Amino acid sequence: MQGNGARPGWTFLTSHARVLLAIARDPGIRLRDVAAHCGITERTVQSIVADLEEGGYLTRTRATDGRRNVYHIDPAAPFRHPAEAGHEIAGLLELLVPRPEDAARDDEDGYATRGR
């Protein structure tokens, strides 16, 4: 992000959004892997996951092996800020989380062809 001389300091997505998207891409992901992917601490990820659970955005269950958590996201959950009132997170997920069937249709540049 800094390689082009752009001023660092802010991004379009919050850490909460990044954590939600990482979990949406891989519902069985370990929180330490979410932390590494998002560039935040594992403790911060734990706190964000707790926030997302409390807000009704996701639930967690134990995987069948009993060793890991599996997360389930509610795409019908609404955005929290009044500026996005009336919108569900499904739109964000649709935009930024590739579906398995889209991966099979990626064009030669590696971009999903969904919606084109």
Side-chain angles (χ1 to χ4, degrees):
M1 181 167 33
Q2 297 175 4
N4 64 2
R7 189 177 68 190
W10 67 273
T11 62
F12 281 106
L13 298 177
T14 66
S15 293
H16 281 68
R18 282 194 193 91
V19 168
L20 184 73
L21 292 168
I23 290 171
R25 289 181 187 116
D26 180 1
I29 194 169
R30 295 178 304 178
L31 295 187
R32 78 176 66 148
D33 295 330
V34 173
H37 177 76
C38 296
I40 56 180
T41 67
E42 188 173 352
R43 179 67 190 121
T44 299
V45 171
Q46 292 169 349
S47 177
I48 290 171
V49 167
D51 288 346
L52 293 171
E53 279 187 294
E54 184 178 312
Y57 293 91
L58 61 82
T59 56
R60 74 175 115 184
T61 57
R62 273 289 187 208
T64 55
D65 66 7
R67 295 178 35 170
R68 287 193 182 202
N69 290 321
V70 176
Y71 299 91
H72 304 277
I73 295 175
D74 179 5
F79 281 99
R80 292 174 45 106
H81 195 277
E84 292 87 33
H87 294 279
E88 298 175 345
I89 63 168
L92 179 70
L93 298 173
E94 175 71 21
L95 180 65
L96 295 175
V97 178
R99 296 179 304 216
E101 62 269 19
D102 292 334
R105 296 182 305 182
D106 283 357
D107 64 18
E108 54 276 352
D109 295 329
Y111 296 106
T113 56
R114 172 179 32 157
R116 287 199 230 168

